[in-house]
Amino acid sequence: MDEESKSLLLQNRVALAKDIRSSYIMDHMISDGVITPHEEEMVKNKATQLDRANQLIKIILSKDNRAFNSFYNALLHEGYKDLAALLKGATSLDLFRSGKASSNGITSYVKTALCEGGVPQRPVVFVSREKMVKGIQDSLYQLKNESGWVIVYGMAGCGKSVLAAEALRDHSILKDCFPGGVHWLSVGKQDKAGLLMKLQNLCTRLDQDCKYSQRPPLNVEEARDRLRHLIMHSYPRCLLILDDVWDSWVLKAFDIQSRVLITSRDRSVIDTVSGMKLFVHVDSELEHQKGLEILSLYVDTKVEELPEEAHDIIQESKGSPLVVSLIGALLREFPSRWAFYLKQLQRKQFKRIRKSSSYDYEALDEAMSMSVDRLKDHVKEYYNDFSVIEKDVKVPTKVLCILWDMESEDVEDMLQEFVNKSLLYCDRNGKSFLYYLHDLQLDFLTERNRAQLPALHAKLVSQYHKRYLHVLPTVDQEDCTYWYYYLAYHMAQANMHQELCSLLFSFDWLKSKTRLFGPAHLIHEFVHYRDILNKQDSKAREDFQEFLSVNGHLLGQNSHINMVQLGLSQPNESAVYKRAVEHVKEELQQGALYVNWINKQSMKNLASLAVRPHTEAVYHACFSRDGQRIASCGADRTLQIFKSGTGENLLHIEAHDDEVLCCAFSPDDRYVATCSADKKVKVWNAVTGNLIQTYDEHSEVVSCCQFTNGGSPTLLATCSHDCLLKLWELGKKHCKNTLFGHGDYVNHCRFSPDDKYLASCSMDGTLMLWDVSSANEFKTIDVAVSFQENDESQLKCCSWSNDCSRIMVTARNRLYIFDVDSSDLVSELEACQQSTILYCDFCTTNQIVAMALSHYVVQLWDIDSNTKIADFNAHLSWVHCVKFSPEGSSFLTSSDDQTVKVCEEMLVILYLYGHV
């Protein structure tokens, strides 16, 4: 309760308690939902009328302004106008009156706030569900003074979005709780690229001062930071509404200590976020009377005059709002077909739609077919064009204007008919409209028009070319994002394979798309449409994909880099170089200037992927066991997980309070472990990013963490500057075993491929092997005796051969390989004299060893012949890590230059040493 209201109650407490009859007052307050039966009983148990009145006032003082307002109105209603006048000075009074007025007619303030925030309007046929709306509003009131989350959840089609929007049509909620306004975002089922597009649109909508108008954010992390800044500085105490959230990872982008209302099918999507959480469940079944009201509004007939079939339809459909609305829309056109639609409903078993995980489309297909067939023929053709839209994609009006060669007003007027018939949904995004189909309707259309789908896709592509013949869409255009994300999809579906190649091999297209949205989605398209592109020009596909993969980290972060000039730096035989030359010849006529290198080596790029996932040095990177993902960590204290094929970022986790020194996937790829200079070890869900476990039993920097390779149980080994190693069993809170033996910092540890032993190396100059099953020392190899100089006793890294027969360890610029059984030194390899070996790794399929050196180089050695195979100039600074993929066909590197690169092992060998 605000200070003025509380003050007025306290000042006039004696006069109020002396005159009021509490039982009459409480009747009104209970009906308003601000006094509970238990509180009523507390009041009634008092002995005298005065005591009862005082107890009631005491209860009101403990509540919010809604209780004060309810008490004030109860006084007026019961004839205590003189007492009510004592409270009239409360600032909340006028607000309350405005709020009460809004229950019958929405105030202009509410209309403006909802329109500006893109909140959907009431559907054409609307029946209030007061209990559900009040439950949402009660939860929203709790966000008045504190950030948090309200999740409105229930099965699909139960009316979550309608109820959430209705809860916001309240003057007091908007004025009291969310003076910063409300901002509606329809999320849907998203991948990373789709989420980024949503965030870009939201940031653009909120950036009214055009502080960031030069470009949209290029990745989800940047979009999250921009959104946080915009809300903090421009929209404090606003409410974000995230409608139809499917995946929990999406909410990470909105976990910015703001006020958020979520609608979702899944209650658990909110588990991954922090802060206060409030839950409102929406019943999947309408009350029988509410279902009848919906049908009565559709057919414009009183409830009591509805036929008996109306009751049967409600009962047969289990009161599903979606099914009732669809049948109601049909009955509006054919009000005499009650028995027919009931029969169809019974035959197709509509009740199966109650399954929460998916729909059964059969019965709905019938209903939608009847609805579509009633459309006029020329209008039906327009509706069929929606068959080509991907699921969960909202199409801007401008796209449809281009498709149909119509003015936006004509498009919107025509589509309103589809909306009114529940055949199409409309969402407001700022000044524009977005149109989309429910999954059921889209599946129906797709199946109905399956033979015409290629032609319909081709029609959309043709209209795009007609509109953008000479110039590409720009970021200030409403339809820009749609074309950049979905034009290639439409070309592929239209079997326009040559046009798809021309698009993806076009420097104009590549320049514009990477400048606006970064390279990840482009690389994904080259991977996704690989088969189509290979049939047209496999070498061009390979060269362009490699070009984007290797240079994408530059193109996505530096808008000043000229892509064409970068293309000219490619080998002369590269398709990228040849296309760049063609592009230059065209631009030279307009006075452009480019440089063509005459001393360029004709050599293939050795890296197949280069990404810059971190903002500071990358200390460690590793493949998942299936080779599909890469985890990396570094000085920026984060853990990153991205696709090994495209570099698309999957997870960004603020992992530790200090530098993250190592990371490792579990054998089943479900978890990722990290360790840090903050002395902690953490285990994360590798898909959702949820923190699973924190271990803090080390007393110094934790330098390395490694999982077993597949043995049971799964163990995690860690080593630390506290001279100890520890074994952890997932699911257990405390260390399983502590391994003592080293006399100085333990820098690295590694399980043998068969998980029988654990190797560790230390600053004390020893390499120790431990028996995993007993956690006892198996043997110690004194590496220091092999040193020629005393200052070489810094053992950095150790690794096993794939047959477990040999173990290697690094010290300064030397690699020592020992026989495990005999402990004999098998061989000694010397890297560059002026460098230090920072990491080493055995290949899993042959006898090749990779070494990461401090002078920016990765070396490959054949340890059978003790010969160096290759020097790979991988980075622009220290190379901290080199790791082979599980199948041994590639390796990755990480460096102080903030990049992670994936290199094909045989390409490095063959191109640098053609005789191998």
Side-chain angles (χ1 to χ4, degrees):
M1 186 178 299
D2 61 47
E3 291 182 356
E4 186 172 358
S5 298
K6 183 175 290 187
S7 176
L8 285 168
L9 268 179
L10 291 171
Q11 291 172 20
N12 299 287
R13 184 170 186 168
V14 174
L16 291 166
K18 181 180 178 181
D19 290 335
I20 64 172
R21 294 182 63 84
S22 57
S23 59
Y24 296 146
I25 300 297
M26 284 193 296
D27 287 341
H28 292 279
M29 299 185 73
I30 288 174
S31 66
D32 287 340
V34 296
I35 293 291
T36 67
H38 175 68
E39 291 168 337
E40 180 188 30
E41 197 64 27
M42 290 172 58
V43 174
K44 288 182 176 180
N45 287 338
K46 296 298 180 181
T48 67
Q49 176 62 36
L50 182 62
D51 290 339
R52 288 192 287 273
N54 276 314
Q55 179 65 28
L56 175 60
I57 295 172
K58 181 181 179 181
I59 291 173
I60 296 171
L61 284 168
S62 68
K63 295 180 176 292
D64 57 17
N65 278 6
R66 294 174 63 247
F68 178 92
N69 296 329
S70 178
F71 179 62
Y72 174 87
N73 274 319
L75 292 175
L76 289 176
H77 193 276
E78 291 300 323
Y80 297 108
K81 294 183 179 180
D82 55 332
L83 295 178
L86 298 175
L87 306 179
K88 193 172 182 179
T91 56
S92 62
L93 183 58
D94 291 338
L95 183 60
F96 176 74
R97 287 173 173 169
S98 298
K100 293 297 284 185
S102 71
S103 64
N104 297 319
I106 300 174
T107 64
S108 60
Y109 175 85
V110 171
K111 291 179 180 178
T112 301
L114 299 188
C115 182
E116 290 178 349
V119 177
Q121 298 179 9
R122 283 175 176 167
V124 176
V125 171
F126 173 77
V127 173
S128 177
R129 300 164 71 181
E130 295 88 356
K131 183 178 179 181
M132 291 285 96
V133 171
K134 186 178 182 304
I136 298 172
Q137 290 176 338
D138 288 344
S139 296
L140 289 175
Y141 268 110
Q142 297 189 52
L143 301 184
K144 178 179 179 181
N145 298 312
E146 183 180 355
S147 63
W149 308 77
V150 173
I151 178 167
V152 180
Y153 68 97
M155 68 169 281
C158 64
K160 301 180 293 294
S161 302
V162 172
L163 290 169
E166 190 63 22
L168 299 174
R169 295 186 175 96
D170 184 277
H171 190 103
S172 60
I173 282 184
L174 297 184
K175 196 77 173 179
D176 263 351
C177 303
F178 311 114
V182 295
H183 307 285
W184 187 285
L185 182 66
S186 297
V187 180
K189 207 170 186 178
Q190 292 298 337
D191 56 12
K192 279 283 185 179
L195 176 61
L196 177 59
M197 183 173 65
K198 298 284 184 183
L199 288 166
Q200 289 169 336
N201 288 336
L202 179 59
C203 289
T204 300
R205 187 201 309 176
L206 297 179
D207 187 18
Q208 293 184 351
D209 296 330
C210 299
K211 294 179 180 178
Y212 300 96
S213 60
Q214 66 274 19
R215 65 167 178 83
L218 298 178
N219 53 59
V220 172
E221 291 72 35
E222 182 183 351
R224 181 189 182 198
D225 289 338
R226 186 175 299 181
L227 183 61
R228 180 193 292 112
H229 181 85
L230 285 168
I231 288 178
M232 180 182 299
H233 295 283
S234 302
Y235 298 90
R237 290 182 63 195
C238 74
L239 178 69
L240 287 179
I241 305 98
L242 307 181
D243 184 39
D244 193 25
V245 177
W246 284 60
D247 302 302
S248 57
W249 61 265
V250 169
L251 297 184
K252 285 290 186 180
F254 302 92
D255 195 1
I256 53 176
Q257 296 187 22
S258 61
R259 294 160 173 81
V260 186
L261 170 66
I262 300 165
T263 69
S264 178
R265 303 178 186 186
D266 184 359
R267 186 181 191 274
S268 67
V269 294
I270 204 171
D271 291 347
T272 60
V273 298
S274 56
M276 178 176 64
K277 302 172 186 177
L278 304 166
F279 298 88
V280 180
H281 179 255
V282 177
D283 296 331
S284 60
E285 301 177 11
L286 285 169
E287 296 175 8
H288 192 85
Q289 188 64 25
K290 293 292 184 184
L292 293 176
E293 288 179 27
I294 291 176
L295 292 175
S296 71
L297 289 171
Y298 270 112
V299 298
D300 194 21
T301 302
K302 294 180 180 179
V303 171
E304 53 268 25
E305 295 177 3
L306 292 174
E308 187 61 30
E309 288 87 351
H311 298 270
D312 295 335
I313 287 173
I314 303 299
Q315 184 175 353
E316 190 68 26
S317 67
K318 305 299 182 183
S320 165
L322 180 61
V323 176
V324 172
S325 297
L326 286 171
I327 291 181
L330 295 170
L331 288 167
R332 180 162 54 187
E333 296 296 327
F334 299 96
S336 62
R337 293 189 177 181
W338 289 94
F340 175 75
Y341 292 137
L342 173 60
K343 182 179 179 180
Q344 292 295 323
L345 179 60
Q346 294 169 333
R347 182 181 300 170
K348 299 299 181 180
Q349 297 182 353
F350 259 81
K351 62 183 179 181
R352 292 172 61 190
I353 201 173
R354 295 177 66 240
K355 293 191 295 183
S356 60
S357 60
S358 62
Y359 298 113
D360 186 306
Y361 296 136
E362 286 185 337
L364 288 176
D365 283 351
E366 290 291 334
M368 286 185 289
S369 177
M370 296 173 215
S371 182
V372 173
D373 286 342
R374 290 196 311 275
L375 296 172
K376 297 177 181 178
D377 288 342
H378 74 283
V379 176
K380 190 186 304 181
E381 292 181 8
Y382 290 119
Y383 189 68
N384 286 335
D385 284 336
F386 282 97
S387 305
V388 302
I389 306 302
E390 281 206 279
K391 286 187 177 180
D392 302 311
V393 173
K394 296 183 179 181
V395 184
T397 304
K398 182 65 174 177
V399 172
L400 300 173
C401 292
I402 293 173
L403 174 61
W404 297 327
D405 277 330
M406 294 171 60
E407 297 293 330
S408 60
E409 292 81 5
D410 294 330
V411 170
E412 290 165 359
D413 289 345
M414 181 186 66
L415 295 184
Q416 189 60 42
E417 181 180 353
F418 301 152
V419 174
N420 291 341
K421 291 182 178 294
S422 300
L423 294 173
L424 188 68
Y425 298 88
C426 178
D427 200 7
R428 188 72 179 266
N429 180 20
K431 297 180 180 179
S432 65
F433 291 97
L434 299 174
Y435 296 96
Y436 62 101
L437 293 174
H438 192 283
D439 286 357
L440 299 177
Q441 294 158 326
L442 184 56
D443 283 340
F444 159 74
L445 275 182
T446 301
E447 187 61 34
R448 179 187 181 98
N449 301 308
R450 184 164 299 280
Q452 290 78 40
L453 286 180
L456 293 175
H457 282 282
K459 173 185 174 183
L460 181 57
V461 174
S462 175
Q463 291 298 100
Y464 164 83
H465 285 311
K466 181 179 177 181
R467 171 62 179 81
Y468 294 107
L469 181 62
H470 302 294
V471 62
L472 292 175
T474 56
V475 70
D476 59 325
Q477 294 173 294
E478 174 191 336
D479 56 329
C480 163
T481 301
Y482 182 86
W483 296 120
Y484 281 116
Y485 273 95
Y486 299 109
L487 181 58
Y489 162 76
H490 291 300
M491 287 180 173
Q493 295 298 313
N495 298 320
M496 302 173 70
H497 297 169
Q498 186 59 52
E499 289 82 353
L500 178 62
C501 286
S502 299
L503 180 75
L504 295 183
F505 299 157
S506 163
F507 269 94
D508 286 332
W509 180 262
L510 299 183
K511 281 194 302 181
S512 297
K513 184 165 181 175
T514 53
R515 186 172 298 154
L516 293 174
F517 308 111
H521 194 266
L522 264 173
I523 299 173
H524 167 76
E525 288 179 331
F526 276 96
V527 174
H528 187 72
Y529 302 121
R530 179 197 305 258
D531 293 340
I532 295 175
L533 299 175
N534 282 347
K535 290 180 180 178
Q536 300 297 312
D537 192 335
S538 60
K539 187 177 188 305
R541 194 277 307 164
E542 179 182 347
D543 290 346
F544 270 91
Q545 182 178 333
E546 178 186 282
F547 172 69
L548 291 170
S549 298
V550 174
N551 298 290
H553 64 293
L554 301 174
L555 300 170
Q557 294 190 354
N558 299 285
S559 58
H560 63 276
I561 290 181
N562 188 296
M563 178 180 284
V564 178
Q565 184 64 69
L566 199 59
L568 292 174
S569 69
Q570 300 303 297
N572 290 354
E573 67 274 11
S574 166
V576 177
Y577 172 79
K578 295 175 182 178
R579 295 293 175 103
V581 170
E582 294 175 2
H583 189 92
V584 166
K585 290 179 179 178
E586 296 174 2
E587 289 198 357
L588 287 177
Q589 300 176 5
Q590 285 79 42
L593 176 64
Y594 289 94
V595 176
N596 198 8
W597 305 105
I598 61 174
N599 60 343
K600 176 176 54 182
Q601 292 184 351
S602 181
M603 182 182 294
K604 188 179 181 69
N605 284 315
L606 301 181
S608 60
L609 177 69
V611 294
R612 183 170 283 143
H614 295 269
T615 58
E616 296 185 48
V618 189
Y619 291 143
H620 193 83
C622 61
F623 285 100
S624 60
R625 303 302 172 109
D626 63 7
Q628 300 301 307
R629 291 173 291 168
I630 293 172
S632 63
C633 58
D636 62 3
R637 307 179 183 186
T638 67
L639 168 69
Q640 309 278 350
I641 298 180
F642 50 93
K643 290 183 179 180
S644 58
T646 66
E648 178 186 348
N649 193 283
L650 301 173
L651 281 179
H652 171 104
I653 302 173
E654 302 291 336
H656 288 269
D657 298 326
D658 207 334
E659 296 180 335
V660 187
L661 303 178
C662 187
C663 57
F665 278 98
S666 63
D668 59 5
D669 289 336
R670 294 174 60 192
Y671 306 103
V672 175
T674 57
C675 61
S676 168
D678 67 5
K679 309 175 186 178
K680 295 179 181 179
V681 179
K682 296 185 179 182
V683 179
W684 311 85
N685 184 302
V687 176
T688 66
N690 291 346
L691 179 61
I692 305 299
Q693 190 75 51
T694 299
Y695 302 121
D696 57 1
E697 296 183 23
H698 281 292
S699 60
E700 296 293 341
V701 170
V702 186
S703 51
C704 181
C705 57
Q706 296 288 329
F707 277 103
T708 47
N709 298 293
S712 182
T714 297
L715 297 177
L716 174 67
T718 59
C719 58
S720 168
H721 287 187
D722 61 11
C723 309
L724 303 177
L725 290 96
K726 291 181 179 289
L727 294 177
W728 314 84
E729 190 171 342
L730 289 183
K732 302 297 178 62
K733 294 184 178 180
H734 299 289
C735 169
K736 177 182 175 69
N737 296 107
T738 299
L739 311 182
F740 302 87
H742 284 294
D744 207 335
Y745 296 171
V746 186
N747 289 323
H748 195 248
C749 60
R750 187 79 70 90
F751 284 101
S752 60
D754 59 8
D755 290 332
K756 188 175 181 180
Y757 301 109
L758 174 68
S760 62
C761 59
S762 168
M763 298 285 283
D764 64 10
T766 62
L767 173 65
M768 298 189 71
L769 306 184
W770 311 83
D771 182 85
V772 174
S773 61
S774 65
N776 293 325
E777 178 185 342
F778 172 61
K779 64 174 56 181
T780 298
I781 300 175
D782 188 358
V783 184
V785 299
S786 303
F787 296 160
Q788 298 177 357
E789 300 177 19
N790 292 330
D791 62 348
E792 284 188 332
S793 60
Q794 301 180 12
L795 304 188
K796 282 283 188 181
C797 181
C798 56
S799 185
W800 295 82
S801 64
N802 52 44
D803 60 2
C804 303
S805 65
R806 286 171 286 185
I807 182 79
M808 65 179 178
V809 64
T810 66
R812 286 194 62 187
N813 68 330
R814 293 178 180 272
L815 181 75
Y816 298 93
I817 303 175
F818 295 90
D819 183 274
V820 173
D821 291 334
S822 65
S823 301
D824 292 338
L825 179 63
V826 175
S827 58
E828 178 181 341
L829 308 177
E830 183 178 359
C832 177
Q833 186 68 36
Q834 291 78 31
S835 189
T836 299
I837 305 173
L838 300 179
Y839 207 90
C840 64
D841 196 33
F842 254 114
C843 184
T844 57
T845 57
N846 53 44
Q847 301 307 310
I848 293 178
V849 169
M851 293 185 288
L853 305 182
S854 61
H855 76 292
Y856 321 159
V857 169
V858 171
Q859 290 186 352
L860 298 182
W861 290 73
D862 185 327
I863 60 172
D864 281 344
S865 61
N866 290 341
T867 56
K868 183 169 66 174
I869 300 174
D871 266 320
F872 174 33
N873 294 308
H875 292 275
L876 302 176
S877 187
W878 282 27
V879 187
H880 286 287
C881 179
V882 57
K883 292 281 287 186
F884 281 100
S885 63
E887 73 281 0
S889 62
S890 60
F891 61 88
L892 59 81
T893 61
S894 65
S895 167
D896 263 352
D897 66 10
Q898 305 173 15
T899 63
V900 175
K901 295 186 177 182
V902 179
C903 311
E904 301 298 326
E905 175 196 338
M906 293 311 297
L907 286 180
V908 174
I909 297 173
L910 291 175
Y911 278 92
L912 288 180
Y913 296 86
H915 62 280
V916 176

